[in-house]
Amino acid sequence: MSGIAGVYHLNGRPVGEELDRVTDALAHRGPDGADMWRDGAVGMGHLMLETTPEDRYESLPLVDRSGNVALTADARIDNRSELIKKLNVRKPGDRVITDTELILAAYKRWGRDCPKKLLGAFAFAVWDARERTLTLARDHFGIRPLSYVHRPGRFFAYASLEMALVRAGLSNGEVNDRRIADFLLVPVKVKPEETYWEDIISVPPAHTVQVTPEGRIDQEQYWALDPEKETTLDSDEAYIERFRALFEEAVRCRMRSSTEVASMMSGGLDSTSVACTAAQQLQGTDRQLHTLSAVFDSVPESNERSYQEAALEMYKEKMIPTFFEADEMGPLHHLSRTIEHMGRPSGGGNGYLHAELYRRAADQGRRVVLSGFDGDTTVSHGRKYANELLWEGRWAELWNQIRDSVEFHGGGRLRARSAFLSLIRHYLRTHPLTRPLAKAWRQLRGTDGPEAGEERLTIRPEGGAWGGDAWQKYFQASFLKSTATDVRAEKATDRWTSERKHHHMMLRRPMMEDMLRALDARAASMGVAVRFPFYDVRLVEYCLSLPGHLKHRNGWGRWIERASMGDILPDEIRWRKKKADLSPSYRQGLAQHEKDRFSALCKRFASGDSALARHLEMKTMAELASQVVNGEPLGNSGEEVLLLRAASLDEWFKLQDQKELHDKAHIA
């Protein structure tokens, strides 16, 4: 997790101190050194955070022996052995081959298509003097950030963070209100490449962007998940064995570290599966695994200490625990630092847990932290499997699924029967083929009123946007008129999609990239690199291709993951029915530790002295902030989400006001 930047003057002007400015703005991403390379109109910068044994031999930006190809990269390559063999890369003397040497060799062999051959987390730029092209590339899921500004006929500049381009004067700094609306969960259509600035473009995940010799920009996608592919094996045992092999490899290749590895371990299925698999792989070595856990001893509903201790007991010879008493810290404690290092607002309500645990890992000398994010999405709970049974007419199997799920949650046969009939009625009422008839029948009976909950502030089931119409009253009408001209509609058909199509949609949600970027930024701000085994391409492709009955069975979501962890996880974690509810601890943290922040926010909102005055209804937002100050519960969880995002945006705008972001005299 390093930082990269570069400038290419399309008019032939030599690169000057503008490269220094953009590189300086990324200083926090490179505590282990910085360097630059210039060749006339082209310049590259790199800031190093050493996390792998090979990083100590990196010399970036890297230029090949001919001097024709130059590379700067923020990268970790996981299929090193495969690439070394394919490319026939020779070991340079008495040292190891570095990851960027592999990327450079891959580019020289396959050109712009080289990302198709790479596995890992990466963002890189290659200048090819032979072709007079500049090529940018980003990994499959967008774990490593990369954005650019293009001034036709003048220059093309790129950096790991958009804010670096703004502060270097390479952007005009004009805020993109459509992206602001998207952050506030207005259901507006936003392109994947849009950022918080009008003139800064993000390289989308799994894409390359090439500046042609004529100065044109050519964007190309090199990979996509296939929602039609299905894996067919002979038995459940074969599926389980394959999942376990892929998961173990996903963990193993992310443990390559220059220091002992730390691992987040909440006590839930995903993070504890990662931590316990890592600990098992360390058996027979002299290395330890340093687990990072948040505990809430004063909030029993949120506390997972007993599950964490069960894992620690199972691996007591390998795990060294660190506990963070999270109920003693406010949820917005690290907000300002995260926003400053991320360069954009942060919407994660539990982000402070990650930031504080990353900080403690860094204080202990760790450079790499494993994370269980986001096993729920990668493996899938299989919640749409019932749909397949329903519209395929497999009603006996559907009944068994519903009965098992109801019994799983403590219900009896009568409740299961009621749930089964309710699902059938809901299907007939909302499916596009039967919805008109159902509506006519309700009108005939005089029961066609508004759906329950329509006036509550609610988030759509897939996340990322408000549902219904209640959200509109919190916003300035003029703001919505100018930004929400292309609103994403909720489609009734989405409710009855197949499990695989729903799984595919969940994996492709734009919010997933935003969450990965937030975790990356929090880790970078603390001087560590966070790695995500559940975002291994091989594992994600396999999980998406699985039949639905391997994702949901007998009431258990993520069934195949549970089944595969037999001798790795304690059974009380593997067959744990419920997750901890972190909302009580979040609300307690606001009430006990964030009153001063929200008191100031309330005054800013009430006086209209906030940059958000043109986005949100200030009187309404002031009332919400006042409720937090007075210890009063908000109307629903949707209002909590909106208030948190408003606080984050307000902080982002304040940070911009406090800094000299750009100088109009610069070349932008």
Side-chain angles (χ1 to χ4, degrees), residues 446-468:
T447 59
D448 192 38
E451 294 187 9
E454 198 169 43
E455 295 305 312
R456 288 173 59 84
L457 186 60
T458 57
I459 298 175
R460 297 181 183 185
E462 72 273 16
W466 303 118

Side-chain angles (χ1 to χ4, degrees), residues 104-116:
L104 186 62
Y107 175 83
K108 294 178 75 171
R109 170 75 64 86
W110 297 301
R112 184 179 182 175
D113 288 337
C114 70
K116 297 178 181 179

Side-chain angles (χ1 to χ4, degrees), residues 1-5 22-34 46-51 73-75 121-123 138-139 142-146 159-162 164 338 340-343 367 516-530:
M1 191 179 300
S2 300
I4 64 172
V22 70
T23 304
D24 289 346
L26 294 168
H28 69 280
R29 292 185 71 90
D32 297 321
H46 184 269
L47 300 105
M48 173 62 75
L49 172 66
E50 293 182 5
T51 63
D74 171 18
F122 54 82
R138 200 159 168 224
D139 64 67
I143 295 171
R144 300 293 169 89
L146 185 59
S160 295
L161 301 180
E162 297 109 36
T338 296
E340 182 166 2
H341 288 84
M342 188 177 177
R367 283 294 182 95
L516 288 167
R517 286 198 61 166
L519 291 169
D520 171 275
R522 292 186 186 103
S525 73
M526 302 300 175
V528 299
V530 59

Side-chain angles (χ1 to χ4, degrees), residues 195-487:
T195 72
Y196 287 85
W197 285 271
E198 289 282 3
D199 62 348
I200 300 180
I201 306 299
S202 175
V203 179
H207 279 71
T208 60
V209 170
Q210 189 170 81
V211 186
T212 69
E214 299 78 27
R216 292 183 291 102
I217 305 300
D218 180 44
Q219 180 174 291
E220 185 177 283
Q221 186 171 4
Y222 66 81
W223 173 84
L225 285 165
D226 182 359
E228 303 301 325
K229 180 181 178 181
E230 179 167 337
T231 296
T232 304
L233 300 178
D234 294 336
S235 64
D236 286 355
E237 289 71 25
Y239 283 112
I240 292 168
E241 183 178 344
R242 178 63 175 154
F243 177 92
R244 180 157 169 169
L246 288 170
F247 184 71
E248 288 179 345
E249 173 59 17
V251 173
R252 185 200 64 77
C253 67
R254 285 163 177 78
M255 292 179 66
R256 184 165 56 101
S257 174
S258 56
T259 67
E260 288 193 328
V261 173
S263 188
M264 304 289 278
M265 192 172 76
S266 69
L269 177 65
D270 298 327
S271 66
T272 315
S273 291
V274 171
C276 289
T277 298
Q280 190 171 84
Q281 292 181 1
L282 290 174
Q283 300 285 7
T285 74
D286 60 357
R287 302 180 71 190
Q288 304 294 111
L289 183 75
H290 301 260
T291 62
L292 306 169
S293 304
V295 293
F296 303 87
D297 291 332
S298 66
V299 190
E301 308 96 310
S302 304
N303 204 20
E304 299 181 273
R305 185 188 284 272
S306 63
Y307 297 105
Q308 297 158 2
E309 290 178 343
L312 291 168
E313 176 62 25
M314 188 170 184
Y315 294 95
K316 55 188 174 185
E317 301 300 325
K318 275 295 163 188
M319 289 183 174
I320 299 176
T322 292
F323 292 104
F324 159 43
E325 293 74 17
D327 42 9
E328 297 179 4
M329 179 180 287
L332 306 185
H333 182 81
H334 289 291
L335 182 64
S336 297
R337 180 169 183 159
T338 296
I339 292 173
E340 182 166 2
H341 288 84
M342 188 177 177
R344 51 169 58 188
S346 170
N350 298 317
Y352 75 108
L353 303 178
H354 300 274
E356 180 60 22
L357 289 169
Y358 296 156
R359 185 190 68 78
R360 297 188 182 203
D363 287 349
Q364 296 167 7
R366 312 281 81 79
R367 283 294 182 95
V368 170
V369 178
L370 301 179
S371 168
F373 180 85
D374 176 28
D376 291 86
T377 301
T378 291
V379 183
S380 178
H381 288 265
R383 293 191 175 104
K384 298 296 182 180
Y385 179 49
N387 290 354
E388 298 178 17
L389 301 178
L390 180 61
W391 43 256
E392 289 176 6
R394 297 156 61 187
W395 287 27
E397 292 179 65
L398 176 63
W399 161 249
N400 291 334
Q401 282 283 336
I402 291 176
R403 182 197 61 206
D404 291 345
S405 294
V406 170
E407 291 177 354
F408 177 87
H409 292 289
R413 182 64 64 95
L414 287 177
R415 184 178 293 180
R417 189 177 180 182
S418 175
F420 180 79
L421 293 174
S422 177
L423 179 66
I424 300 299
R425 285 194 299 269
H426 189 59
Y427 177 75
L428 295 173
R429 181 176 180 177
T430 60
H431 194 278
L433 295 178
T434 56
R435 191 175 187 180
L437 291 175
K439 182 176 179 65
W441 173 248
R442 292 196 306 274
Q443 289 174 338
L444 184 64
R445 297 177 61 197
T447 59
D448 192 38
E451 294 187 9
E454 198 169 43
E455 295 305 312
R456 288 173 59 84
L457 186 60
T458 57
I459 298 175
R460 297 181 183 185
E462 72 273 16
W466 303 118
D469 298 316
W471 58 273
Q472 296 184 28
K473 69 182 181 183
Y474 296 86
F475 291 84
Q476 292 285 354
S478 58
F479 172 63
L480 295 183
K481 185 177 180 180
S482 66
T483 59
T485 55
D486 193 10
V487 172

